[in-house]
Amino acid sequence: MDYVNSGIISANPLVQALDQRVKDVKQSEKERVSYMKYELNLRDARKDGEAEGMLKNLIANVRSLMKSLNCDARRAMDLLNTPADLRPKVLALL
C-alpha cells in the first residue's frame, strides 16, 4: 500500500515487479493509446447514461404534469421548456 499511496519502492520483489510493469506501460505507445481509448469509451458511456437518465426524468415529469394539469404532452413539454430536439423522443416514449 505504501507504493500505491506514495510511490515508494521497497525491497519487496512484488513491489519492484509492479513498479517495473507500471514503468513499462507508461513508456509503451501501444499501451498509452489503448488506455486513452478505454478512457474515451468510459466517458462516452457515462455521457450516454446521463442523457438516458435525464430523458427518463423528463418523461416522468411530462407524465406527471399531464396527469395533474389534465393537459396533453405538448402543453406539458411547453411548461417544462423541453428543447425541440427532445420532443419527438419524449412523444415516442410516452
Side-chain angles (χ1 to χ4, degrees), residues 28-65:
S28 168
E29 180 71 22
K30 181 181 174 184
E31 294 287 345
R32 281 198 314 266
V33 169
S34 175
Y35 182 75
M36 289 184 339
K37 286 181 182 178
Y38 174 75
E39 283 293 318
L40 288 173
N41 287 338
L42 282 179
R43 188 177 303 157
D44 289 344
R46 190 175 302 117
K47 284 169 95 176
D48 291 346
E50 288 172 358
E52 183 179 333
M54 288 174 48
L55 183 60
K56 286 181 180 181
N57 189 41
L58 176 60
I59 290 168
N61 290 335
V62 168
R63 285 184 178 146
S64 178
L65 276 180

Side-chain angles (χ1 to χ4, degrees), residues 3 5 7 9 11 22 26 31 33-35 47 51 53 56 59-60 65 74 76 78 84 89 91 94:
Y3 175 75
N5 291 329
I9 303 170
V22 167
K26 285 182 177 180
E31 294 287 345
V33 169
S34 175
Y35 182 75
K47 284 169 95 176
K56 286 181 180 181
I59 290 168
L65 276 180
R74 285 177 176 73
D78 288 343
K89 292 177 186 176
L91 288 172
L94 282 174

